[in-house]
Amino acid sequence: MLDWVEKYRPKTLKDIIGNRNSARQMAEWAKNWDFGREPLLLYGKPGIGKTSAAYALANDMKWEIIELNASDQRTKSIIEKIAGSCATTMSLTGAERKLLLFDEADNLHGSADKGGARAILDIIKISRQPIILIANDSYGIAKELKSACEQVQFRALTAKTIAAHLRDICSLENLKCSESTLNEIAEGSAGDMRSALNKLYAAGVGEESLTDEAVSTASKDERASIFDLVGSVLKSREDRRLLQLSAEISETPDVMSQWIEEGASYIKNEKKRAEAYHYLSESDIYIGRTFSRQYYTLWRYASALMLIGTAYAAEGEGISARIMPPSRWRKMAGARKQKGIRNSVFNSLSERYHMPSDTLRDDYVNLISVLIEKNPVGFARETGFDRDELDFFLHDRTKSADIIKQIKKEEKEREKAEKASKKREAPKRESTKKQPEIPEGKDQVTLKAAFQNNSSDENKACSKGINDDETTKKEPDCENGSLDKKRVTQATLFDGF
Ligand SMILES: Nc1ncnc2c1ncn2[C@@H]1O[C@H](COP(=O)(O)OP(=O)(O)OP(=O)(O)O)[C@@H](O)[C@H]1O
């Protein structure tokens, strides 16, 4: 049996209650959608119809819908695998278009979502299909992602609008309910239609009439979110209520502690803030012990310390800013990327200079930095660094990007010139094809092997000359080298066969 939230989920945009302008904006966008059109970003409080509106739109347009949630472990590669393919191809079921729906676009910083924002941006660039992103908190969305989208705000619904919808549902379900009870549910839902429907369902399902008592019992069962918990810790001093809220949310104490830590950073008074951090660190000890001893009863102490301790320190001063996901998640994602760049830089230098990467990192990093600063172009050209790797030493993203761009341009021009010169050389080679008795393949391989054994710069230059088909031009430079000698040697070797 469907609960009423599902049973009365809007089927078409016309069923969306309130937010008429937003629904209209979505319909316009879909009607005029064409390849290259910006995705939509629907944002607003939970439970006010964003996801329903996206589904209703897809239904109206007869578009197939593919939903991706943050909990799908949206690493870059997975997104590219799932969405990248359908972003560029037509639907298998024959539906004209596929709507890619990225829910929780404001929650892309967790470990499961590394590179999530970047990957979505990449998909936006290549997608031949419409995309909608959904977020509760527009401030939590990566800046680049936000500016790549057309934004549609969803506002919390008024108590009057919610009450009217509840009345309709009561009559469809043959449930008798007084106006005052309906208003009480609507007002207690703070603009959240889903929460209101859940309360009505919990109190009224299987009943003929609704009593105030049933409603207040049902309200207690309403599940809280982590945002409610952080807000309450900073605002309220009701210890029991805080513990009850923490039991309702689905986060474990270690994750909860990271959210509270972020919340504690909003406490204005420095002393009080320090006190909050003190309780958080005490709580962290119990979290550590829980894991090391696998004794989960200790979690209760951890929760009590972090919640009651932080609330005690905050003294109910409340929060004037938006509650954000832990900033350490963002920092950790950044640090992971930086570590990857560092490893790749030192591994490639280690190969080049035949030195352990640890030695390079511990003893030569300053020297290398100075050398690179003196001649960044030459160094980047020689090492084949990319922008991030070069920036690791230069600490100047624009400069690094410019240098890499310049090198790539030069490479392209060189390739072009080489191709052109090969074209010019081709007829000449045809005419000189009839060469000595030495089989062509064997000659090349043995010569190459001979050069590999010789590491002097001069011989390298000679070998380059040969590979580049410029033997004649380079010959005078090779007089002291062993090219001619080797040719003689090889010839003698082959003579022996
Ligand atoms: N504006 C609305 N009109 C009609 N029903 C609504 C509306 N908003 C919410 N509902 C009801 O609440 C349920 C949940 O709504 P929905 O999932 O669309 O909210 P949401 O804003 O996307 O929330 P979240 O941000 O948590 O995903 C729907 O199934 C529907 O029954």
Side-chain angles (χ1 to χ4, degrees):
M1 189 179 67
L2 285 180
D3 64 27
W4 293 348
V5 165
E6 280 314 315
K7 189 169 172 186
Y8 296 105
R9 188 182 275 278
K11 305 272 178 309
T12 142
L13 270 184
K14 284 198 191 92
D15 295 342
I16 295 286
I17 293 163
N19 286 302
R20 292 320 305 158
N21 284 341
S22 315
R24 220 168 288 132
Q25 192 182 343
M26 289 173 71
E28 278 296 305
W29 172 83
K31 215 169 70 192
N32 300 321
W33 192 88
D34 204 354
F35 171 55
R37 175 106 199 225
E38 290 170 323
L40 282 189
L41 168 62
L42 315 184
Y43 69 95
K45 275 185 62 158
I48 55 177
K50 302 178 299 295
T51 313
S52 305
Y55 272 85
L57 176 74
N59 192 28
D60 288 346
M61 298 298 296
K62 311 247 173 321
W63 289 350
E64 193 183 326
I65 196 159
I66 295 178
E67 185 173 354
L68 292 151
N69 293 306
S71 52
D72 289 338
Q73 304 247 322
R74 278 191 289 194
T75 56
K76 192 171 188 290
S77 62
I78 291 178
I79 291 186
E80 276 165 0
K81 218 152 83 197
I82 302 174
S85 58
C86 55
T88 48
T89 54
M90 285 301 278
S91 163
L92 288 174
T93 62
E96 202 184 330
R97 295 212 177 282
K98 285 196 246 191
L99 176 64
L100 294 183
L101 189 62
F102 288 97
D103 213 342
E104 295 180 43
D106 47 351
N107 195 13
L108 292 169
H109 299 296
S111 56
D113 286 328
K114 52 187 168 195
R118 179 80 261 150
I120 295 181
L121 271 171
D122 290 346
I123 288 166
I124 290 175
K125 272 189 219 136
I126 58 158
S127 175
R128 305 198 148 263
Q129 301 293 346
I131 298 176
I132 291 185
L133 309 179
I134 296 182
N136 286 329
D137 179 9
S138 97
Y139 290 88
I141 306 168
K143 247 199 328 241
E144 307 89 315
L145 203 54
K146 216 155 73 172
S147 58
C149 299
E150 181 180 326
Q151 302 189 26
V152 183
Q153 184 179 15
F154 272 71
R155 292 178 198 282
L157 301 164
T158 62
K160 208 168 140 202
T161 316
I162 293 180
H165 188 47
L166 297 183
R167 199 175 304 119
D168 289 346
I169 290 177
C170 283
S171 93
L172 288 168
E173 295 290 333
N174 291 323
L175 179 67
K176 279 194 208 91
C177 186
S178 72
E179 277 302 304
S180 67
T181 308
L182 287 182
N183 287 338
E184 194 189 321
I185 298 178
E187 272 156 26
S189 308
D192 179 337
M193 181 72 92
R194 178 176 37 222
S195 150
L197 280 178
N198 275 334
K199 270 186 223 164
L200 187 71
Y201 176 75
V205 65
E207 306 287 335
E208 281 180 6
S209 63
L210 205 61
T211 61
D212 285 355
E213 200 189 332
V215 170
S216 72
T217 318
S219 302
K220 281 188 191 141
D221 291 340
E222 195 193 346
R223 288 187 73 78
S225 75
I226 188 76
F227 292 94
D228 297 327
L229 182 66
V230 178
S232 303
V233 164
L234 297 175
K235 204 163 51 196
S236 113
R237 294 285 312 279
E238 294 174 60
D239 303 350
R240 229 172 243 289
R241 175 75 189 129
L242 292 178
L243 291 174
Q244 195 186 344
L245 272 177
S246 75
E248 281 175 24
I249 64 165
S250 52
E251 308 290 0
T252 50
D254 48 331
V255 177
M256 213 157 71
S257 131
Q258 294 174 10
W259 280 87
I260 308 268
E261 181 192 340
E262 186 69 23
S265 72
Y266 296 112
I267 301 175
K268 291 189 192 90
N269 182 298
E270 208 172 290
K271 261 197 182 153
K272 287 198 231 163
R273 202 163 58 236
E275 203 173 349
Y277 288 139
H278 165 73
Y279 287 115
L280 281 162
S281 70
E282 294 269 310
S283 146
D284 199 45
I285 295 174
Y286 283 99
I287 293 175
R289 285 186 191 154
T290 310
F291 285 121
S292 63
R293 297 179 195 174
Q294 296 287 296
Y295 182 51
Y296 287 87
T297 310
L298 293 176
W299 262 1
R300 254 185 262 156
Y301 298 108
S303 300
L305 269 166
M306 79 174 85
L307 298 171
I308 300 172
T310 312
Y312 172 76
E315 290 182 340
E317 76 174 36
I319 178 167
S320 47
R322 273 166 199 273
I323 296 166
M324 300 285 283
S327 55
R328 69 153 78 187
W329 292 357
R330 236 164 320 192
K331 285 183 192 147
M332 272 157 67
R336 247 193 316 269
K337 185 180 172 204
Q338 201 58 15
K339 199 171 158 197
I341 295 170
R342 191 189 65 194
N343 288 344
S344 102
V345 161
F346 286 111
N347 287 341
S348 94
L349 290 178
S350 146
E351 267 178 39
R352 177 164 291 274
Y353 298 126
H354 306 287
M355 249 191 228
S357 57
D358 286 356
T359 313
L360 277 166
R361 194 187 57 214
D362 297 342
D363 301 336
Y364 291 97
V365 68
N366 286 339
L367 180 66
I368 297 172
S369 302
V370 171
L371 288 173
I372 294 183
E373 267 168 32
K374 279 196 172 161
N375 180 13
V377 182
F379 216 90
R381 199 181 282 132
E382 188 187 311
T383 52
F385 279 168
D386 66 17
R387 186 195 62 188
D388 287 336
E389 289 168 337
L390 187 62
D391 184 49
F392 179 81
F393 292 103
L394 291 185
H395 306 294
D396 185 338
R397 287 191 78 73
T398 330
K399 190 173 173 187
S400 310
D402 287 347
I403 291 174
I404 299 301
K405 223 166 141 186
Q406 182 193 330
I407 293 175
K408 286 206 170 128
K409 203 174 148 199
E410 284 170 9
E411 273 168 13
K412 269 192 187 149
E413 279 165 10
R414 206 173 30 248
E415 270 171 28
K416 247 188 186 171
E418 269 171 21
K419 263 189 197 160
S421 100
K422 268 187 193 156
K423 259 190 187 168
R424 276 199 304 274
E425 293 278 317
K428 274 190 216 164
R429 268 195 230 128
E430 282 290 313
S431 61
T432 52
K433 231 180 183 175
K434 278 182 194 158
Q435 284 297 311
E437 316 70 50
I438 304 168
E440 207 181 311
K442 276 190 182 178
D443 180 38
Q444 281 167 354
V445 171
T446 23
L447 274 175
K448 199 173 164 201
F451 282 122
Q452 269 167 357
N453 290 335
N454 193 327
S455 61
S456 88
D457 285 351
E458 238 168 346
N459 282 332
K460 271 188 195 159
C462 296
S463 120
K464 191 175 178 303
I466 283 185
N467 290 337
D468 291 347
D469 243 353
E470 290 170 4
T471 328
T472 29
K473 214 164 61 192
K474 298 256 171 178
E475 242 161 26
D477 296 341
C478 304
E479 264 170 21
N480 298 329
S482 47
L483 175 62
D484 286 337
K485 230 166 29 193
K486 280 181 192 307
R487 273 196 177 141
V488 172
T489 325
Q490 299 309 322
T492 335
L493 266 176
F494 278 110
D495 287 345
F497 280 112

